[in-house]
Amino acid sequence: MRVLGIETSCDETGVAIYEEGYGLRAQAVYSQAEVHAAYGGVVPELASRDHIRKTLPLIHQVLDDAGIESVDGVAYTAGPGLIGALLVGAGIGRALAWAWQVPAIGVHHMEGHLLAPLLEDPAPAFPFVALLVSGGHTQLVDVLGIGRYRILGESLDDAAGESFDKTAKILGLPYPGGPALASLAKQGDPKRFCFPRPMTDRPGLAFSFSGLKTHALQTWQTERERAADADQLRADIARAFEEAVVETLVIKCRRALRLTGRRRLVLAGGVSANRRLRQRMDEAIATLGGQTYYPRPALCTDNGAMIAFAGYQRIKSGQHEPLAFAPRARWPLDELIPAEVGAV
């Protein structure tokens, strides 16, 4: 079975083909970073217009790269995300499925991220705990099987990736801010500042990163007037901020593994590509006798491969959708129904 996956939830157009017994046949991603850089963030209308321009050419490209002319199913991101952007991918995906007379399925964007590590070798076996950490979400999920998810904790305000981007903007770093801040943090002095680790001094698995961003802002405003080297100050704040986010995520993940009794931890989403996070998480989980799993960096950010794979799992289990489609800007992960393939 071959499934075409289309991802258009925000500012990246991703298309891929997943084939049963083979794996990824082809994939392509177009980033809109240059389109939105002048505005310092994603402009929804511009994102939608760019998806319209890029989605069909990318579909032609991956079909050519894979050397095939047909697929057995089409998967598209149905939410959560920017509603205009979602409508582009959903409309194109559903139209192609109708024309090709194959089943179509709308995929939950975060389920795509959650399942992306299953594309790697070795792949984690169910059950496991997943940390979904991206620009829009920070969630700890107990995963029993595909579609069998229990939310253990999530952010009460800003997601980790969102706080990275906002702090980068405070420091005057270019868009996209998260990767720029992580790169700058490598030059920072780890001993100059120590930022708070929010909500780690109380029980539970909830997150809060809004106050940490405010702390970075106050530090920048207080220190920059007397700083001899503004560039080094930026780097030191970036380092302190990154360390605070990373340690907070590590503490909560260790707590989640103890609570559930699991020994496997999956990290997915854009922030999971952060090298410092991977290093610290590997060290911390190893002390518990556990194992960490990640997708390759190219599959951490939004991409069509994760949508093709998640769609394949659901189509294989017999799920598909009628001609009518209804993308959702907001869509709780725990509302998904199970797909029997791989469940425990």
Side-chain angles (χ1 to χ4, degrees), residues 145-219:
I146 296 172
R148 299 181 62 188
Y149 311 131
R150 179 169 64 100
I151 306 299
L152 300 173
E154 56 191 337
S155 181
L156 304 178
D157 40 57
D158 290 353
E162 182 181 7
S163 67
F164 262 95
D165 290 339
K166 289 181 177 179
T167 301
K169 193 169 184 177
I170 289 168
L171 297 177
L173 302 180
Y175 175 87
L181 187 145
S183 178
L184 181 62
K186 298 174 185 177
Q187 305 169 31
D189 179 357
K191 298 180 180 179
R192 183 171 181 181
F193 300 114
C194 182
F195 285 9
R197 277 54 171 163
M199 298 189 72
T200 58
D201 59 349
R202 66 193 75 178
L205 297 173
F207 300 92
S208 173
F209 294 106
S210 180
L212 185 58
K213 170 204 66 186
T214 302
H215 189 88
L217 171 62
Q218 292 172 341
T219 303

Side-chain angles (χ1 to χ4, degrees), residues 122 124 129 257 263-266 282 285-286 288-294:
V129 169
L257 290 179
R263 286 294 176 264
R264 290 181 288 273
L265 176 71
V266 160
D282 286 345
I285 302 309
L288 297 178
Q291 179 66 45
T292 50
Y293 298 85
Y294 314 88

Side-chain angles (χ1 to χ4, degrees), residues 12-202:
E12 287 167 315
T13 311
V15 179
I17 295 173
Y18 178 84
E19 182 173 334
E20 183 178 15
Y22 183 96
L24 286 179
R25 288 291 299 263
Q27 61 173 323
V29 177
Y30 165 75
S31 172
Q32 299 178 0
E34 291 187 8
V35 175
H36 303 289
Y39 306 95
V42 178
V43 181
E45 179 64 21
L46 296 181
S48 301
R49 291 171 182 265
D50 223 25
H51 286 308
I52 292 171
R53 285 190 289 265
K54 298 297 182 180
T55 303
L56 280 175
L58 285 181
I59 291 172
H60 286 298
Q61 178 182 330
V62 298
L63 288 171
D64 290 343
D65 290 346
I68 62 176
E69 297 181 354
S70 63
V71 296
D72 304 301
V74 177
Y76 55 86
T77 303
L82 303 175
I83 192 63
L86 292 169
L87 283 167
V88 175
I92 292 174
R94 197 62 195 81
L96 288 174
W98 178 82
W100 288 333
Q101 293 297 290
V102 298
I105 190 75
V107 172
H108 192 291
H109 179 76
M110 297 311 295
E111 180 172 60
H113 278 303
L114 188 153
L115 298 180
L118 274 67
L119 287 164
E120 307 298 352
D121 184 19
F126 298 116
F128 55 78
V129 169
L131 172 66
L132 300 178
V133 57
S134 68
H137 295 79
T138 302
Q139 294 179 315
L140 277 165
V141 187
D142 190 24
V143 181
L144 297 178
I146 296 172
R148 299 181 62 188
Y149 311 131
R150 179 169 64 100
I151 306 299
L152 300 173
E154 56 191 337
S155 181
L156 304 178
D157 40 57
D158 290 353
E162 182 181 7
S163 67
F164 262 95
D165 290 339
K166 289 181 177 179
T167 301
K169 193 169 184 177
I170 289 168
L171 297 177
L173 302 180
Y175 175 87
L181 187 145
S183 178
L184 181 62
K186 298 174 185 177
Q187 305 169 31
D189 179 357
K191 298 180 180 179
R192 183 171 181 181
F193 300 114
C194 182
F195 285 9
R197 277 54 171 163
M199 298 189 72
T200 58
D201 59 349
R202 66 193 75 178

